[in-house]
Amino acid sequence: MRNAFAAELLTLAEENERVVLLSGDMGNNLFNAFKKRFPDRFINCGAAEANMTGIAAGMALAGLLPITYSIASFNPGRCAEQVRIDICLQNLPVIVVGVGAGFSYASLGPTHHSLEDIAWMRSLPNMTVICPGDAVETRCALRAALHHGGPAYLRLGKKNEPIVHATPPEFVLGKGISLSEGQDACLLSVGTLLPLAVEAAQILSSQGIATEVVSLHTVKPLDTALLQRIFATKKVVAVLEEHVPSGGAWSAVAEWLSMQHPTTAKARLVRCGAKDVFYTQGGNAAWAQQLSGLTVSDVCSTIASAAT
């Protein structure tokens, strides 16, 4: 995802001279092409995300389109107050990019796990929260966020995630992308879990549970028309996310569902995601996903149990 982000950023910077990149002392090799082409539009702000956010806000007030980039546990983790006051309060067009979200950096321990960032960002007025499902969606998401014209949080994985989309899909902020049809269940996949959701849906369909897969790439604002349709027609709707229960995508869907009155909802809402704990043992992303029940086998079992 981060390579796709860097490539699309270079293209967007060619198209718009107001695009500038601020880095939290990382991605230097990743952005070599950008720095060579636009040396005066790249700023390494050091390991100082709060300062980086303030600088970005000032640049936005001066008419630029700043993008801040660092590991998701630090950006926005270390600068939540500055994102709230400097960017969102003034409704400025700054894109906050958190790379390595969820369990992408699982082997580096809980300091680098980013399992609460969606909750932090979706609680802020004016903020749009975007979690693309693969590298193709990443390029679409960055372009859409730039054209959005307001604060946006772009939550990315790391690198070498499987490609799901053979061609760029129609990507509209606030509109989920349906990848398959199925009348029994729907998997709402958030971020890098999209390949897992596709594989799980194929297995479920082979077992007689016809399953739709949706890339819920925008967590805020939610695609309420999509939610109305799937909850009125399915038996089970599941949210798949590398995030704790509180404040994430599952929480957002549950909040929306609780406010539907009168309701036509028939589906049962279930969740496949990280637990409400710190993962302090050592292990890679696959290990952390296994602890969280985020394997294809676990997802299939959860859906099959809820559908019968």
Side-chain angles (χ1 to χ4, degrees), residues 24-79:
D25 200 26
M26 64 175 297
N28 291 313
N29 291 331
L30 181 67
F31 299 120
N32 277 346
F34 185 95
K35 289 187 289 184
K36 183 177 181 180
R37 180 69 181 85
F38 307 109
D40 59 344
R41 291 160 64 182
F42 175 86
I43 300 176
N44 186 339
C45 295
E49 287 79 7
N51 290 341
M52 177 170 70
T53 305
I55 294 169
M59 297 174 87
L61 287 170
L64 298 174
L65 297 172
I67 299 169
T68 65
Y69 179 93
S70 190
I71 295 175
S73 52
F74 310 144
N75 193 37
R78 285 179 169 174
C79 53

Side-chain angles (χ1 to χ4, degrees), residues 249-270:
W250 171 80
S251 178
V253 173
E255 290 163 12
W256 170 85
L257 187 61
S258 71
M259 293 187 290
Q260 305 310 300
H261 180 77
T263 179
T264 59
K266 298 192 304 181
R268 174 185 174 186
L269 174 63
V270 299

Side-chain angles (χ1 to χ4, degrees), residues 89-300:
L89 179 61
Q90 304 182 81
N91 199 20
L92 296 177
V94 177
I95 301 175
V96 178
V97 179
V99 69
F103 290 123
S104 297
Y105 286 108
S107 60
L108 299 182
T111 57
H112 285 61
H113 301 167
S114 183
L115 303 172
E116 308 88 5
D117 53 322
I118 293 176
W120 296 335
M121 292 295 98
R122 66 175 283 260
S123 68
L124 297 176
N126 295 327
M127 179 60 83
T128 294
V129 180
I130 314 166
C131 309
D134 71 353
V136 178
E137 286 191 19
T138 295
R139 298 186 71 137
C140 298
L142 176 58
R143 184 169 288 270
L146 194 68
H147 290 155
H148 167 56
Y153 175 51
L154 184 56
R155 187 185 203 244
L156 304 180
K158 192 167 64 172
K159 63 178 181 178
N160 300 327
E161 294 90 355
I163 299 292
V164 175
H165 297 284
T167 58
E170 182 180 0
F171 191 99
V172 179
L173 293 181
K175 297 294 180 185
I177 300 172
S178 181
L179 287 84
S180 62
E181 296 182 354
Q183 71 275 17
D184 297 321
C186 180
L187 303 182
L188 295 175
S189 177
V190 179
T192 56
L193 294 177
L194 187 58
L196 185 154
V198 171
E199 184 178 353
Q202 292 170 345
I203 293 173
L204 287 165
S205 295
S206 71
Q207 296 172 348
I209 303 174
T211 304
E212 179 178 358
V213 175
V214 171
S215 176
L216 193 69
H217 54 73
T218 308
V219 178
K220 183 184 179 183
L222 281 174
D223 187 346
T224 55
L226 168 77
L227 295 180
Q228 289 279 7
R229 175 179 67 78
I230 60 176
F231 274 94
T233 57
K234 316 293 186 188
K235 297 177 183 175
V236 180
V237 173
V239 177
L240 280 61
E241 61 178 344
E242 284 187 339
H243 195 277
V244 295
S246 301
W250 171 80
S251 178
V253 173
E255 290 163 12
W256 170 85
L257 187 61
S258 71
M259 293 187 290
Q260 305 310 300
H261 180 77
T263 179
T264 59
K266 298 192 304 181
R268 174 185 174 186
L269 174 63
V270 299
R271 177 179 180 272
C272 302
K275 300 175 183 177
D276 188 21
V277 298
F278 289 107
Y279 292 76
T280 56
Q281 302 132 296
N284 59 18
W287 161 84
Q289 289 177 339
Q290 187 173 12
L291 284 184
S292 304
L294 284 171
T295 67
V296 171
S297 175
D298 288 329
V299 171
C300 289

